[in-house]
Amino acid sequence: MQCAWLHKKAHRWIGLFAGILLLLLCIAASIIFGVHSTSWRQVVDAFTSYNGSTEHIIVRDVRVPRALIAAFVGGSLGICGVLLQSLTKNPLADSGIFGINAGASLFVVAALVLFGVNSLASFTWIAFLGAGVSCLFVFILGSAGRQGLTPLKITLAGAAITAFCSSLSNGMLIIGDSAMEEVLFWISGSVEGRSLDILLNLLPYMIIAWIVALLIGSSINTLMLGDDVARSLGQKTVLLKLTMGLLIVILAGSSVAVAGPIGFVGLVIPHIARSIIGKDVRWLVAYSAILGGVLLLLADIASRFIAEPREIPIGVMTAIIGVPFFIHAARKGMLQK
């Protein structure tokens, strides 16, 4: 039994390193391929012999930030999906279930329509604030009543907050129709035109959340056995759930702040990871971070060529991938699992 366990663990490590290699290859492909294709030599020269040429500017100021943002946002959304599905015990949970995307969008639309804010740098912190406020209301509503925080109540609270924020956002966009075009591309979700500074401002929060998610993985495994079992083993379930909720806010909030609301990554990636390494949350977090980055990078590369020479928002590409998966999962009865 011990040899078999070690053999399985060795395979997991091999798969993890293979995933990291695949992620690096996708980052390289994201830097090289696009409407203006570049070569490896041009990429290297852009950092070793920068001369201000168009090719070097594209590599340093456009492609590299875009690739890194897609990798980190995809990884954060993948981990967020694992935590959400574990906390709500809903295999079809996504960041939208907490009203995070809708709350961030509402704050951005309000800032644009009511206060005239229209810079991406300002959108970043406004969206992060909106994500946090909406998630706080979800927790308050989901914790009301005798039973406290339950998966069903928090799911319903998230759906209610999402509907409320979406209605307000649509109403303000109708009133301020001149702002529609300015905010529409952000709402669709995109990594195009984002500077590296936007990512660097939020990267420390992302990395800390990644590390904490890995550290509490074993505790989440115990929680998945049931609240009663977890309490009998001395686990502080309320504190753990609050920690998971805070990590969800940080991961999803920072992701939507950097790239806008991108759906379905947190839905699809945890299921792909489970099919590879099983249900251990510690491994799910690691694999989902890598696979989430790979998925968003591939979606971003595809978005450059489908409607060439124009690009479509990356959120549209993830929806093209995620909607069929959602339908397939529902047909297979995953909603009842």
Side-chain angles (χ1 to χ4, degrees):
M1 290 295 291
Q2 187 178 9
C3 291
W5 178 79
L6 289 173
H7 183 71
K8 186 176 181 181
K9 187 175 181 179
H11 273 76
R12 287 178 170 179
W13 280 107
I14 293 172
L16 189 65
F17 286 120
I20 293 173
L21 179 60
L22 177 61
L23 178 64
L24 294 176
L25 289 174
C26 289
I27 291 174
S30 179
I31 296 173
I32 294 174
F33 298 116
V35 177
H36 300 282
S37 294
T38 57
S39 65
W40 271 112
R41 183 64 182 174
Q42 290 173 327
V43 173
V44 174
D45 288 344
F47 292 94
T48 59
S49 305
Y50 181 72
N51 58 16
S53 64
T54 301
E55 291 78 10
H56 288 183
I57 292 174
I58 289 174
V59 170
R60 292 182 56 162
D61 298 338
V62 179
R63 296 278 178 81
V64 170
R66 186 169 182 169
L68 293 177
I69 288 172
F72 279 102
V73 168
S76 295
L77 290 175
I79 296 175
C80 180
V82 173
L83 296 176
L84 262 172
Q85 292 173 15
S86 300
L87 179 62
T88 64
K89 295 183 173 63
N90 180 355
L92 297 181
D94 190 27
S95 58
I97 196 173
F98 265 20
I100 293 173
N101 291 352
S105 298
L106 172 61
F107 272 55
V108 168
V109 171
L112 180 62
V113 174
L114 302 179
F115 302 104
V117 177
N118 58 7
S119 70
L120 281 176
S122 299
F123 282 172
T124 299
W125 296 107
I126 292 169
F128 193 76
L129 176 62
V133 170
S134 62
C135 207
L136 176 63
F137 275 102
V138 169
F139 266 105
I140 293 174
L141 291 176
S143 302
R146 294 182 179 178
Q147 295 178 333
L149 189 67
T150 64
L152 177 59
K153 287 166 62 179
I154 200 170
T155 301
L156 293 175
I161 293 296
T162 298
F164 176 74
C165 291
S166 297
S167 298
L168 288 181
S169 298
N170 293 334
M172 281 189 287
L173 285 174
I174 292 172
I175 295 172
D177 56 352
S178 60
M180 178 74 78
E181 186 175 346
E182 296 180 55
V183 79
L184 185 58
F185 199 80
W186 185 89
I187 291 179
S188 299
S190 176
V191 295
E192 180 187 0
R194 269 62 169 174
S195 70
L196 195 58
D197 290 338
I198 294 176
L199 174 65
L200 294 178
N201 287 333
L202 293 170
L203 188 58
Y205 301 101
M206 288 183 174
I207 292 176
I208 291 172
W210 286 27
I211 295 172
V212 175
L214 283 169
L215 293 177
I216 66 173
S218 58
S219 298
I220 298 175
N221 286 333
T222 304
L223 182 67
M224 295 301 292
L225 299 175
D227 287 10
D228 293 337
V229 174
R231 290 193 199 97
S232 68
L233 294 174
Q235 188 177 93
K236 298 179 179 178
T237 57
V238 174
L239 178 60
L240 178 60
K241 289 179 180 180
L242 289 175
T243 302
M244 292 171 68
L246 179 60
L247 294 179
I248 290 166
V249 172
I250 294 173
L251 291 169
S254 58
S255 297
V256 78
V258 172
I262 297 176
F264 295 105
V265 176
L267 167 65
V268 174
I269 289 303
H271 291 285
I272 296 176
R274 285 190 194 95
S275 68
I276 297 174
I277 45 87
K279 298 181 179 180
D280 190 327
V281 175
R282 293 168 297 181
W283 288 98
L284 278 176
V285 167
Y287 271 71
S288 294
I290 294 170
L291 294 175
V294 169
L295 175 62
L296 210 58
L297 282 164
L298 293 176
D300 182 43
I301 294 171
S303 71
R304 306 174 192 179
F305 296 101
I306 287 183
E308 192 179 359
R310 300 188 64 182
E311 297 186 13
I312 63 174
I314 195 172
V316 175
M317 288 303 305
T318 57
I320 292 174
I321 298 170
V323 170
F325 181 88
F326 187 92
I327 295 173
H328 169 75
R331 286 173 61 89
K332 292 295 184 180
M334 292 178 63
L335 282 167
Q336 283 77 42
K337 291 184 179 180

